Amino acid sequence: NRKLRGGIINMSSLTAEFATPFVATYAAGKSFGKVFTQVLSKETNLDLLCYEPGYVWTPLGSKFKFKFNFFN
């Protein structure tokens, strides 16, 4: 008699953790997603995870002059 279980994975960004110039609105939205996941997890009996990937270099990203540096 196994119970079926599931979970929810919300996507956020590492930008939610650090003050990053020129992306305030984006960072605020990602911070909301992180906090929403934490609160919903405590208020319900759901398994929730908030995934926060960081910057991923791509050839398209090299075309921009602004460089992201989360650790300075």
Side-chain angles (χ1 to χ4, degrees), residues 15-69:
T15 306
E17 301 291 331
F18 301 98
T20 307
F22 309 111
V23 291
T25 305
Y26 177 79
K30 296 304 178 179
S31 294
F32 169 80
K34 177 184 175 189
V35 172
F36 177 73
T37 302
Q38 292 171 338
V39 171
L40 193 60
S41 177
K42 299 218 186 283
E43 290 180 349
T44 64
N45 194 21
L46 298 173
D47 290 327
L48 290 132
L49 173 70
C50 186
Y51 180 62
E52 297 179 338
Y55 179 75
V56 177
W57 185 91
T58 65
L60 177 64
S62 66
K63 297 182 188 299
F64 297 101
K65 293 180 182 177
F66 180 75
K67 304 291 185 205
F68 288 97
N69 189 351

